[in-house]
Amino acid sequence: MVDVSQHDLVPDHSVVDEDDLEAVLDEYDIKKTDLPKIKRADPGLPDDAEVGDVIRIERDSRTTDTAVVYRLVVE
């Protein structure tokens, strides 16, 4: 089988630890539930991601070197 998460076109996904999460939520003045959602079944997620975790996704961008987005893992 092919591991989709290792494909060149799939951006880096990583689980955000609690300390970094608090800094991100404070920076944007939001709650965790206000973040866009990503399903647990998404093949790009790390294997250790669980429902309720926040994922940091780093994408290549034309206007900046990298664009960072955050997603909340849901069922």
Side-chain angles (χ1 to χ4, degrees), residues 20-32 35:
D20 292 337
L21 176 59
E22 288 302 319
V24 169
L25 296 177
D26 288 343
E27 178 182 348
Y28 293 108
D29 193 26
I30 59 173
K31 296 178 283 190
K32 190 163 123 172
L35 291 168

Side-chain angles (χ1 to χ4, degrees), residues 9-46:
L9 297 177
V10 175
D12 292 332
H13 290 62
S14 59
V15 178
V16 178
D17 64 19
E18 288 300 318
D19 294 333
D20 292 337
L21 176 59
E22 288 302 319
V24 169
L25 296 177
D26 288 343
E27 178 182 348
Y28 293 108
D29 193 26
I30 59 173
K31 296 178 283 190
K32 190 163 123 172
T33 56
D34 294 332
L35 291 168
K37 313 300 188 268
I38 188 169
K39 291 196 177 247
R40 174 61 193 106
D42 189 292
L45 285 180

